[in-house]
Amino acid sequence: MEDRLVSLMLPQSFFPYRCTDDDKRFASSLATLSILDAHPVGAKPYEERDGGCNDDDQLAYAGQSYRLSGSRAEALSFYRKAVITDGWKPAPKDMEGCLVKAIGGRKVYLSAGFPDVPREKYFDDYHVQVSSAADGGGLC
């Protein structure tokens, strides 16, 4: 929603690129990826799944936040197995900590992480995100 509000407040010429209808459809398809539903036993999704397309770089993205009841180590172990099973591969070295997979003819990047500054009482909240820019890049 924020992206849309910012887009409405700024002149069209502010963005050198614009998300196309295909970019927006691709963003919607990213939100259905099974890796965003995968989570360790005891982890619960919170907040709605986010997603969309950023006009400034034609970046299609989707993500899901989780509240963890187990340890971070258990969550990391779970995802190490889940991403291999789902066909994700390590991204190039300049995108360390990120995974990549071809989906619909585009490179899609996957990242997951815990916040640097935890919320007050939810130290183990974490976020899983997928993204793909029209130029083949992504956000990790």
Side-chain angles (χ1 to χ4, degrees):
M1 182 70 165
E2 283 180 27
D3 294 334
R4 182 169 178 192
L5 290 175
V6 170
S7 294
L8 292 173
M9 294 185 323
L10 295 172
Q12 294 271 22
S13 61
F14 181 81
F15 297 107
Y17 310 105
R18 303 286 303 163
C19 288
T20 65
D21 288 341
D22 286 339
D23 294 327
K24 292 173 187 174
R25 279 189 290 277
F26 191 70
S28 293
S29 74
L30 291 178
T32 67
L33 293 178
S34 62
I35 198 68
L36 295 177
D37 294 319
H39 57 81
V41 173
K44 302 280 187 232
Y46 76 94
E47 298 179 349
E48 291 184 32
R49 185 161 295 173
D50 63 346
C53 187
N54 289 327
D55 282 322
D56 59 343
D57 52 13
Q58 289 180 285
L59 181 75
Y61 67 94
Q64 180 65 58
S65 295
Y66 288 92
R67 185 147 293 145
L68 189 60
S69 64
S71 71
R72 286 184 177 198
E74 290 170 334
L76 293 172
S77 176
F78 170 85
Y79 282 106
R80 279 186 196 106
K81 293 173 189 167
V83 297
I84 290 169
T85 301
D86 201 35
W88 295 89
K89 306 286 184 205
K93 291 186 189 278
D94 63 334
M95 297 183 89
E96 191 172 330
C98 198
L99 300 167
V100 66
K101 180 178 177 178
I103 299 174
R106 286 174 66 166
K107 288 182 183 177
V108 176
Y109 295 88
L110 169 69
S111 62
F114 294 91
D116 293 333
V117 179
R119 294 180 185 217
E120 293 171 14
K121 65 180 185 174
Y122 298 110
F123 181 70
D124 289 324
D125 289 355
Y126 68 96
H127 191 74
V128 179
Q129 179 171 300
V130 291
S131 64
S132 178
D135 66 1
L139 179 66
C140 285

